[in-house]
């Protein structure tokens, strides 16, 4: 997968090798990120691809941290005024936020590509 992304974006410049931020965030959230996603984000770091796809890294010292974004979005969903809107869909997933209260969709600007 990384070779296909490299063909599209060029050589990576971030090249993160410490798994600790991923391990910590996965434990905190009780999830596991796909290994190919981790590989790409470790290689390229926080990056915006064509202004449409924004990838963030979990390293806490970064301006655009995946963990910060996820925690902020979870906090929004936990707000009391959102409780009435969080009806479960047949698939078991929670519904989208009501208009004007969407989770963060901020654009990451570091290492912007193409």
């Amino acid at each position: 997968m990384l070779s296909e992304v490299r063909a599209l974006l060029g050589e990576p410049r971030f090249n993160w090798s410490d798994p600790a931020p991923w391990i910590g965030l996965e434990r905190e959230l009780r999830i596991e990120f796909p290994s190919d996603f981790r590989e790409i984000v470790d290689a390229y770091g926080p990056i915006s691809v064509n202004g449409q796809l924004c990838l963030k890294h979990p390293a806490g010292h970064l301006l655009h941290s995946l963990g910060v974004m996820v925690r902020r979005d979870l906090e929004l969903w936990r707000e009391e005024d959102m409780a009435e809107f969080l009806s479960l869909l047949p698939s078991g997933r929670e519904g989208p936020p009501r208009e004007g209260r969407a989770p963060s969709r901020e654009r990451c600007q570091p290492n912007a590509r193409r």
Side-chain angles (χ1 to χ4, degrees):
M1 172 66 88
L2 185 58
S3 62
E4 295 165 343
V5 173
R6 185 178 288 126
L8 177 67
L9 300 178
E11 287 300 314
R13 298 184 206 162
F14 194 66
N15 298 312
W16 188 271
S17 61
D18 180 8
W22 289 108
I23 293 168
L25 186 59
E26 289 175 339
R27 282 185 185 151
E28 177 186 342
L29 300 176
R30 291 185 229 143
I31 62 161
E32 186 173 321
F33 290 96
S35 60
D36 55 349
F37 174 75
R38 287 177 56 162
E39 182 181 18
I40 292 165
V41 175
D42 277 345
Y44 289 92
I47 186 171
S48 176
V49 180
N50 199 30
Q52 298 178 27
L53 174 64
C54 182
L55 302 177
K56 297 185 180 198
H57 195 276
H61 70 281
L62 298 174
L63 177 62
H64 299 281
S65 169
L66 178 63
V68 170
M69 182 194 71
V70 169
R71 284 184 210 97
R72 185 175 39 231
D73 287 352
L74 286 173
E75 188 59 35
L76 173 69
W77 284 101
R78 288 182 183 130
E79 287 181 7
E80 191 172 326
D81 66 338
M82 293 295 284
E84 71 204 44
F85 187 74
L86 295 176
S87 61
L88 291 178
L89 300 174
S91 66
R93 294 185 345 224
E94 293 179 345
R98 64 180 176 238
E99 192 173 319
R101 295 299 309 250
S104 66
R105 298 204 192 305
E106 67 185 35
R107 298 178 75 174
C108 62
Q109 297 171 4
N111 303 328
R113 301 274 179 125
R114 293 183 212 262

